Amino acid sequence: MTSAEAVGAPAGPRLGEVLRGLWPPVRSVRFWVVQATVLLIAVLHDVVLVWLRARGGTLAVPGPVTSALLFIPVLYAALNFGVSGAVGTAVLSTLIIVPHWFLTGPISPMHVWMETGNLILLNAVAVVVGVGVERERRARRRAEQALTVAEVATARYQSLFGDHPAAVIITDADGVVSETNAAATRLFATASPGRRLGDVLGVGVPELLAGVPDLRLTTTDGEDRVFTPSAQLISPDAATRLVQIVLVDATERHRRHEEQRLFGARLITGQEDERRRLAADLHDDPLQTLMFISRGLDELAGDPRLPSDLADQARVDADLTTDVGRGLRKVIRGLRPPVLDDLGLVAALRQCVTDAAARPDAPALRLRVLGTPVRLPPQTELTAYRVVQESLSNVLRHAHANRVGVRVEFADDLTVTVTDDGVGIPERERRPAGAGRLPPDPGNRVASVVGGSQITGFGLVGMRERVSAASGHLEIRRRSPRGTTVRAILPMDANGASIDVTDG
């Protein structure tokens, strides 16, 4: 297609639309009545002209005056049929009036000029009034359509509002209840129009719009239930704005969550109790037996009556027994470090860091203690210790780090932070800063990455559950430019006894 064809292509459809818009309403009976009126006025006009000419113009009435009566049918057609009816009537009037200039005898030039002006004005009025009427009709149709759409939307909203299973409360800008659905009325007897929202929910509109946690409310039947609120403006006009508050019943979800939390806490408590018993059993029986055997072998090796070759073998066995006992002590400390119960968290962490630094190819480790250390509830100290223990274990196995820092801060809360400069955690495996929970995994297992290497197990899940059971908050973040930060924030007992420690 050439450029000329491309430019001219739409002209045909546009011209067709214009012609269809100007085509008169020939199927309307009223339209033909109007055209008959035009013919009647034209006949009357000719009769008046003949009559005036016969009387010699004694009435002093200009001949073209009667042709002005054609404005009546043209205006009627414009108001009833729009531009198509008005233009059609004006064209018919023009086609009828012009020929009588030549058929009714001699007419003065002034007469012709006056009627020509009338016809020009007649056609102009037909177009202007017809276009105006068409615009008015289109505007009316749009308004009617908008009204219909609004009525349908209102009906749908009212249906959704009334039948919504959750409690829905509508308030004005001042927090005064203006409307409630059936669920809200059933749950809250105080949620009646005219009451303040704060009297019903205990919070106001600004707090709800800003976002509030779940609300624990007492329903009409006296039952304490938990609701998740959401609020949004449904009117943009600040002077007459309305706020819609939806309260979703989250009681069952909270109950299940609390049951899971308590179950996890019981599992962790049972695990720790089992570790404590196992550590005590290993310490009281096998370790003591090994130490007795080691001392016996030392005494046997020093007996002069024993042949030299047997004495050497006894010394080797004594050293081996001592090494086994030393390894068993490490196992006992890993299960439940006695120093944690005897001397507290800081001493236990210092021992944990020292043991980690003694491992082959261990990075540089540093422990910092901020604030005034105090003895904390056993669960809090144990949780903080396990977080550091698990974090250091993961760093040593996977991070390939050069430096690792452990920081313990005693303030309003206990904050334990482990940082490293290793390869870090991939973006897909970490939670945003401040996230307290890792995403759930089918089968209660998790594929997590600590220090950059993927591990499949319960380490991070156990860490998370421990912190949650202690009413704490866990953060796992990537450091910039490399490395990982694990931070646990735990509530601490402000009445704990102060102890004297120094940084390691």
Side-chain angles (χ1 to χ4, degrees):
M1 180 182 294
T2 64
S3 58
E5 291 175 343
V7 173
R14 286 201 299 268
L15 180 60
E17 292 178 2
V18 171
L19 292 177
R20 284 192 297 271
L22 295 177
W23 188 255
V26 294
R27 296 183 179 181
S28 174
V29 176
R30 287 190 302 159
F31 175 76
W32 291 113
V33 172
V34 172
Q35 309 314 307
T37 304
V38 170
L39 294 175
L40 180 60
I41 292 174
V43 172
L44 177 62
H45 179 60
D46 290 341
V47 171
V48 170
L49 288 180
V50 173
W51 183 61
L52 289 176
R53 188 179 297 111
R55 297 181 59 86
T58 56
L59 295 179
V61 178
V65 169
T66 52
S67 63
L69 296 175
L70 293 172
F71 280 93
I72 297 175
V74 169
L75 289 175
Y76 180 85
L79 294 175
N80 286 273
F81 305 108
V83 66
S84 61
V87 170
T89 305
V91 170
L92 178 62
S93 301
T94 303
L95 295 177
I96 291 176
I97 293 298
V98 171
H100 91 280
W101 297 343
F102 310 101
L103 301 177
T104 59
I107 297 178
S108 65
M110 180 61 67
H111 181 101
V112 174
W113 280 110
M114 290 180 65
E115 288 195 344
T116 301
N118 285 343
L119 293 176
I120 294 175
L121 184 60
L122 183 70
N123 285 270
V125 167
V127 173
V128 172
V129 176
V131 170
V133 170
E134 290 287 346
R135 289 179 178 174
E136 188 69 22
R137 286 181 175 178
R138 286 195 294 269
R140 186 184 300 111
R141 284 195 296 269
R142 287 195 296 268
E144 292 174 350
Q145 292 173 355
L147 181 60
T148 301
V149 172
E151 291 176 349
V152 172
T154 301
R156 289 178 178 175
Y157 173 77
Q158 290 296 335
S159 177
L160 292 174
F161 175 77
D163 299 336
H164 201 290
V168 183
I169 301 175
I170 307 296
T171 70
D172 60 14
D174 297 325
V176 177
V177 177
S178 59
E179 190 176 2
T180 58
N181 69 344
T185 304
R186 183 173 60 255
L187 291 173
F188 308 105
T190 57
S192 57
R195 296 292 299 271
R196 297 197 64 83
L197 185 65
D199 298 336
V200 180
L201 304 183
V203 294
V205 170
E207 293 85 355
L208 289 172
L209 290 175
V212 297
D214 292 347
L215 301 175
R216 187 174 295 275
L217 304 172
T218 302
T219 59
T220 303
D221 55 7
E223 182 181 359
D224 289 337
R225 306 177 78 172
V226 179
F227 294 90
T228 301
S230 63
Q232 62 178 352
L233 291 172
I234 58 176
S235 175
D237 187 359
T240 60
R241 71 174 185 174
L242 297 176
V243 181
Q244 176 179 273
I245 299 98
V246 180
L247 300 170
V248 179
D249 193 339
T251 305
E252 186 65 22
R253 174 170 59 84
H254 272 254
R255 186 186 63 80
R256 291 197 302 268
H257 180 269
E258 186 65 16
E259 289 177 351
Q260 292 173 358
R261 190 186 69 82
L262 292 176
F263 181 70
R266 291 192 186 98
L267 286 179
I268 293 173
T269 302
Q271 182 188 55
E272 289 299 332
D273 290 342
E274 183 66 23
R275 286 183 173 186
R276 185 185 297 108
R277 287 194 297 269
L278 182 59
D281 292 343
L282 291 175
H283 181 273
D284 294 341
D285 190 6
L287 182 60
Q288 300 303 323
T289 302
L290 284 173
M291 294 301 99
F292 178 78
I293 294 174
S294 178
R295 286 194 298 270
L297 289 173
D298 284 336
E299 293 176 358
L300 181 63
D303 191 344
R305 296 172 297 176
L306 190 68
S308 59
D309 55 342
L310 293 179
D312 293 339
Q313 183 63 43
R315 291 188 185 93
V316 172
D317 293 341
D319 293 339
L320 179 61
T321 305
T322 301
D323 291 340
V324 173
R326 189 178 297 111
L328 186 58
R329 285 194 180 93
K330 291 183 179 180
V331 172
I332 293 173
R333 287 200 301 269
L335 290 173
R336 177 77 179 197
V339 67
L340 181 64
D341 297 323
D342 298 337
L343 300 179
L345 175 63
V346 175
L349 291 180
R350 182 181 293 110
Q351 184 183 71
C352 181
V353 170
T354 301
D355 291 343
R359 294 181 57 175
D361 301 326
L365 284 94
R366 183 186 180 188
L367 171 66
R368 295 182 59 197
V369 180
L370 305 178
T372 302
V374 295
R375 289 305 303 266
L376 304 174
Q379 183 186 14
T380 303
E381 290 189 337
L382 182 59
T383 300
Y385 178 82
R386 293 302 187 196
V387 168
V388 174
Q389 184 185 46
E390 181 68 26
S391 299
L392 289 180
S393 175
N394 289 329
V395 169
L396 294 176
R397 285 185 295 170
H398 308 291
H400 308 293
N402 296 317
R403 292 180 178 275
V404 180
V406 178
R407 189 177 74 170
V408 182
E409 182 178 359
F410 293 84
D412 295 335
D413 294 318
L414 173 66
T415 303
V416 179
T417 306
V418 180
T419 59
D420 68 80
D421 59 355
V423 295
I425 300 178
E427 180 70 23
R428 66 180 182 275
E429 297 293 344
R430 68 184 179 93
R431 296 280 287 175
R437 289 185 173 273
L438 293 170
D441 191 70
N444 294 325
R445 296 183 64 82
V446 61
S448 303
V449 174
V450 174
S453 298
Q454 183 169 346
I455 55 174
T456 302
F458 296 95
L460 295 180
V461 174
M463 191 187 307
R464 177 196 65 189
E465 293 300 333
R466 287 179 183 275
V467 173
S468 177
S471 301
H473 179 67
L474 180 67
E475 300 175 1
I476 302 177
R477 300 183 299 176
R478 171 187 283 272
R479 297 182 63 199
S480 179
R482 64 198 305 265
T484 305
T485 297
V486 177
R487 177 177 291 111
I489 303 174
L490 303 167
M492 56 183 289
D493 182 8
N495 297 324
S498 177
I499 57 177
D500 183 17
V501 299
T502 58
D503 291 358

